[in-house]
């Protein structure tokens, strides 16, 4: 795997279209590189929309250790989508984008809310990407339900954490006001943090 794989990933992520509700190219390259490093646990994405971030994560994993990417989304949208488009059903277009990217054997779609999917969850997680509902209550719930599976040295990534009040407040509470993480960084609207090893 090399630069050609990344170039092809940029093309495939752009082919998903609808950039308004998805990660930027810089954020995508970050997700690709972090997913590529995952060898000890799986990757979980909360909130998939049409699959742009899942393409970045899945292609990164494909270039690395080929760990599963679990893409959790009921595919019925969030309040900001309902205000713009009314009723939402993104599963068919998500599946088409994952197939076109050659990721059907890496990206596992869980068509459930984060809360429903977490109930049967058991696997250690090395990369947790939180981009579901953006109200404080839901972001905090996503973090609380899933972060307990994050392995030491694993990474949690919050999207829209700079300007959206919900994710921003959760990041302040669980990252900046605790001693649970050993490294923290920001890429565009992403805040990421690596869980302490001890
Ligand atoms: C901002 S979009 C995700 C964009 C995607 N990560 C990307 O960059 O391509 C938010 C998504 O969260 C999903 N969502 C809403 N409520 C959810 C919940 N309770 N659990 C999981 N996902 C949820 C919506 O259906 C929507 O697709």
């Amino acid at each position: 795997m090399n630069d050609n794989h990344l170039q092809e990933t940029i093309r495939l992520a752009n082919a998903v279209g609808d950039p308004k509700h998805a990660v930027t190219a810089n954020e995508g390259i970050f997700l690709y590189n972090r997913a590529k490093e995952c060898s000890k646990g799986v990757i979980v994405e909360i909130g998939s929309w049409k699959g742009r971030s899942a393409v970045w994560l899945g292609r990164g994993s494909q270039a690395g250790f080929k760990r599963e990417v679990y893409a959790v989304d009921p595919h019925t949208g969030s309040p900001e989508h309902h205000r713009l488009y009314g009723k939402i059903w993104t599963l068919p277009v998500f599946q088409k984008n994952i197939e076109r990217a050659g990721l059907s054997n890496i990206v596992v779609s869980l068509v459930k809310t984060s809360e429903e999917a977490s109930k049967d969850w058991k696997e250690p997680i090395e990369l947790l990407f939180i981009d579901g509902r953006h109200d404080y209550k839901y972001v905090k719930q996503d973090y609380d339900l899933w972060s307990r599976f994050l392995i030491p040295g694993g990474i949690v990534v919050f999207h829209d954490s700079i300007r959206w009040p919900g994710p921003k407040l959760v990041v302040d509470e669980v990252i900046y006001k605790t001693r649970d993480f050993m490294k923290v960084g920001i890429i565009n609207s992403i805040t990421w943090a690596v869980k302490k090893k001890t």
Side-chain angles (χ1 to χ4, degrees), residues 16 18 20-24 27 31 45-54 56 72-82 88 90 112-115 129-134 138 141-142 159-160:
V16 168
D18 200 6
K20 183 172 160 58
H21 302 290
V23 293
T24 64
E27 292 168 343
L31 293 176
E45 163 178 276
I46 310 297
S48 302
W49 190 238
K50 297 182 182 174
R52 188 178 283 240
S53 51
W56 282 111
V72 180
D73 196 315
H75 286 284
T76 46
S78 295
E80 68 268 23
H81 307 124
H82 301 147
I88 302 279
T90 48
K112 296 176 181 181
T113 65
S114 159
E115 192 178 6
F129 177 53
I130 298 182
D131 193 20
R133 273 192 71 157
H134 286 16
Y138 286 93
Q141 177 174 270
D142 290 343
H159 195 229
D160 290 327

Side-chain angles (χ1 to χ4, degrees), residues 23-28 158-163 185-191:
V23 293
T24 64
N26 280 343
E27 292 168 343
F158 289 89
H159 195 229
D160 290 327
S161 62
I162 306 300
R163 294 215 191 105
I186 292 173
I187 312 274
N188 293 171
S189 81
I190 277 178
T191 304

